[in-house]
Amino acid sequence: MPHKQEMLPFVGELHPTARQVGALNMIRCDDNGRWVGAMFDGAGCVLGMQWEDNHPANKSVLLVGAGGAGRAIAFAVASAGAPTLTIFDIDERRADELAKSVAAATGCATSFGAPDPRGHELVINATPLGMKPNDPMPVDPNRLEPGSTVVDIITTPDPTPLCRAARQRGCRTQGGRPMHEGQAVHALRLGFDYRPEGKSLQDIGMPSQPANDAAPLKPKF
């Protein structure tokens, strides 16, 4: 798995996205030879949810996973207008510290809690659970509220076991692809030469040489 927090000491400068989250998932070398690190998991996730009509604004959110991706998503979801956010991680201390940091930075009512989706309008899996055939579910799908939205940031398999089970419960679901593509839009706007594997700039709705102030566009697929 990516070492998003362990990479921090190896870059010379942190973009504000990485500085706030305390993790990074992209680096580039600037004109002075300095390595710059940024984190687009959160912004990409929220942009992907917006494209899929699953925006977190005004929704009670359960986030499972407080690693590098989970940290970024927590700050981004709270900043995007979620009124309440519950964070669970097997490392309870890590989840509790993240919840306090998010609450202080955004004003969102954020707390550590159990991975129980009952009562939540939006459930996000930011753990690797589901990548391997014998992985347990990150949440009990029988506790999902029918009509709620489940976002699983895993890209393979697609759909994930969680998303398949959520659909059987009458939930909206979203896989990891929109988040992955959302990251590309944000990264390219800030000068990071990154795009989903096998995709050109035009494929993700960007001009061949995007301007730094260009508005993010929805990928064209």
Side-chain angles (χ1 to χ4, degrees):
M1 298 304 296
H3 302 286
K4 298 179 180 181
Q5 292 167 280
E6 290 81 358
M7 280 296 296
L8 291 173
F10 296 95
V11 297
E13 181 181 345
L14 292 176
H15 185 268
T17 55
R19 192 159 50 246
Q20 180 187 55
V21 172
L24 57 86
N25 72 335
M26 294 185 196
I27 61 173
R28 67 176 174 87
C29 190
D30 66 15
D31 294 339
N32 298 319
R34 175 184 295 182
W35 289 103
V36 181
M39 168 56 90
F40 299 113
D41 277 339
C45 186
V46 169
L47 183 56
M49 287 191 284
Q50 181 179 342
W51 289 336
E52 300 295 314
D53 294 324
N54 295 322
H55 201 287
N58 304 314
K59 292 185 175 69
S60 57
V61 182
L62 169 64
L63 172 66
V64 182
R71 291 184 63 84
I73 292 169
F75 280 101
V77 165
S79 299
T84 63
L85 172 62
T86 301
I87 302 173
F88 173 80
D89 192 272
I90 56 173
D91 185 335
E92 295 185 7
R93 180 178 177 181
R94 179 167 69 173
D96 186 56
E97 290 177 349
L98 174 59
K100 291 175 180 176
S101 296
V102 171
T106 68
C108 173
T110 310
S111 61
F112 165 75
D116 183 0
R118 182 61 57 86
H120 293 281
E121 299 165 281
L122 174 61
V123 177
I124 304 173
N125 175 37
T127 76
L129 294 176
M131 295 179 69
K132 298 178 181 179
N134 296 323
D135 281 345
M137 290 283 192
V139 300
D140 181 355
N142 293 320
R143 299 281 294 174
L144 289 166
E145 298 278 6
S148 62
T149 299
V150 174
V151 175
D152 198 333
I153 71 170
I154 295 171
T155 56
T156 303
D158 183 21
T160 64
L162 175 61
C163 285
R164 288 199 302 269
R167 291 173 187 175
Q168 293 177 355
R169 287 281 294 172
C171 302
R172 292 174 56 88
T173 63
Q174 177 181 317
R177 183 176 176 181
M179 170 178 158
H180 192 51
E181 294 161 359
Q183 290 184 68
V185 171
H186 283 288
L188 287 165
R189 290 185 67 217
L190 293 174
F192 288 77
D193 186 12
Y194 168 80
R195 63 201 65 125
E197 184 177 356
K199 301 296 181 183
S200 67
L201 292 172
Q202 291 82 3
D203 288 334
I204 60 171
M206 297 291 290
S208 58
Q209 292 183 343
N212 287 336
D213 59 351
L217 302 174
K218 183 172 182 177
K220 299 173 182 177
F221 292 97

